[in-house]
Amino acid sequence: MKAARLYDYDPKMNVQLKIEEVKAPTITAPDEVIVRVGAAGLCRTDLHIIEGVWKPTMDPEGTLLPYIMGHENAGWVEEIGSGVRSVKRGDAVICHPFRSCGICLNCRHGEDMYCDNGQFPGLGMNGGFAEYFITSERSLIKLNANVTPIEVAPLADAGITAYRAAKRAAKLLRPGSYCVLLGIGGLGHIALQSLHAISGCRIIAVDREPAARVLAKDLGADFILDGGPNVIEEVSQITGGGAHVVIDFVGELGVENICWKMVRKGGQLFVVGYGGNINVPTAHLVIEEINIGGSLVGNFTELVELMELNADGKVKMHYTEYNLASINTALDDFKNRRFTGRGVIVP
């Protein structure tokens, strides 16, 4: 099969994935499923993988490369293991990004991302920047009628990551309260739609890119800011003292030390983007009683819920399509923010 493989890490990202013929995956366990890839989303994590940020976690011994990235996958079932019962060849599916075991206590609690024995296709093992990839039956969700893989592939990670953060935020947001979304890219534009669907809050969208602000307006943000030097004061003026919830989808480039200053007394900051370091005086935490927490991808049930919102037309992915042969162009466009929403790779 054709696949795009990473051969070297480079903090400056002066490397390219190589398109080449490799051996297709084969079934080795009763619960495994081979998926013919219909589309695979590009994620900022893919850039961080190339930079080597994830090497200590996913490749500590330095033996992984070359390998196939791609962890936002949807397609059609090609082959099933002997124990698979819930899907059959030809079924259109979206793949939860984490292959959880289903039997550890964290899985029993429904938190797939906390699994003690999980595997992550695209991070530490071959993923979906190829014609086929292998996952487990437990990871698959059948697509609703009239939904195609290319329309939803990035929802497998970007989508549920944004939805989980929005769902956690919605529990804290009464009608009339304020939520700031920092970054209206692949995740932020999904969070904006999700909040509209499950919360009555007022949404403040912040992004420095004009195209992202246009997208935020099209999706119905109540207030749209350009993230300039006065953004903290602008948020305070709009909200009357700070937002009830702030969700940071950037997590670096200085944004990580602006976001917490937008939170009102007793408010909540959810950090989704990563790469930087947050420096908050402990006195501020105590006096303002703000809460700061991370939000990691999402569980299987949350992906099911998101797919229902998608099928109902309430949450849609805005994407730019690239073929597998153009994946290096797609990565460069992504790095330089030449498209809004998400990039999607089609074999």
Side-chain angles (χ1 to χ4, degrees), residues 161-170 172-173 178-184 187-188 190-192 194-195 198 201 203-206 243-251 255 259-260 262-263 268-273 291 293-295:
T161 300
Y163 176 70
R164 180 180 178 91
K167 184 177 178 181
R168 293 174 69 186
L172 306 172
L173 293 166
Y178 291 90
C179 182
V180 171
L181 302 180
L182 292 165
I184 311 300
L187 280 75
I190 296 298
L192 199 165
S194 298
L195 283 170
I198 63 178
C201 72
I203 300 171
I204 304 172
V206 183
H244 299 82
V245 176
V246 174
I247 307 177
D248 178 10
F249 290 108
V250 182
V255 177
C259 55
W260 57 266
M262 300 179 182
V263 182
Q268 172 76 48
L269 166 64
F270 290 114
V271 180
V272 181
N291 300 290
S295 191

Side-chain angles (χ1 to χ4, degrees), residues 6-44:
L6 176 69
Y7 273 79
D8 299 289
Y9 305 113
D10 182 1
K12 296 182 179 180
M13 288 195 64
N14 292 322
V15 296
Q16 292 199 333
L17 305 187
K18 294 184 179 180
I19 309 299
E20 52 194 3
E21 290 286 336
V22 301
K23 184 179 179 181
T26 56
I27 298 288
T28 60
D31 67 333
E32 288 185 332
V33 177
I34 294 174
V35 175
R36 177 165 62 89
V37 178
L42 281 175
C43 179
R44 184 158 294 276

Side-chain angles (χ1 to χ4, degrees), residues 36-115:
R36 177 165 62 89
V37 178
L42 281 175
C43 179
R44 184 158 294 276
T45 293
D46 295 319
L47 303 184
H48 289 315
I49 289 171
I50 296 171
E51 291 170 332
V53 173
W54 279 85
K55 183 180 183 296
T57 301
M58 71 179 206
D59 189 17
E61 305 299 324
T63 58
L64 177 63
L65 304 186
Y67 99 109
I68 304 166
M69 303 193 315
H71 58 274
E72 299 181 343
N73 302 304
W76 299 271
V77 173
E78 179 72 12
E79 185 179 345
I80 61 175
S82 60
V84 174
R85 297 290 182 267
S86 63
V87 294
K88 66 183 185 303
R89 191 175 191 276
D91 285 344
V93 294
I94 188 169
C95 311
H96 189 279
F98 204 57
R99 289 179 58 172
S100 55
C101 72
I103 58 174
C104 71
L105 187 58
N106 288 323
C107 283
R108 300 292 191 186
H109 285 311
E111 290 297 350
D112 302 85
M113 294 304 302
Y114 301 168
C115 177

Side-chain angles (χ1 to χ4, degrees), residues 27 63 187 224 230 279 328:
I27 298 288
T63 58
L187 280 75
I224 301 166
N230 299 317
N279 300 297
N328 290 302

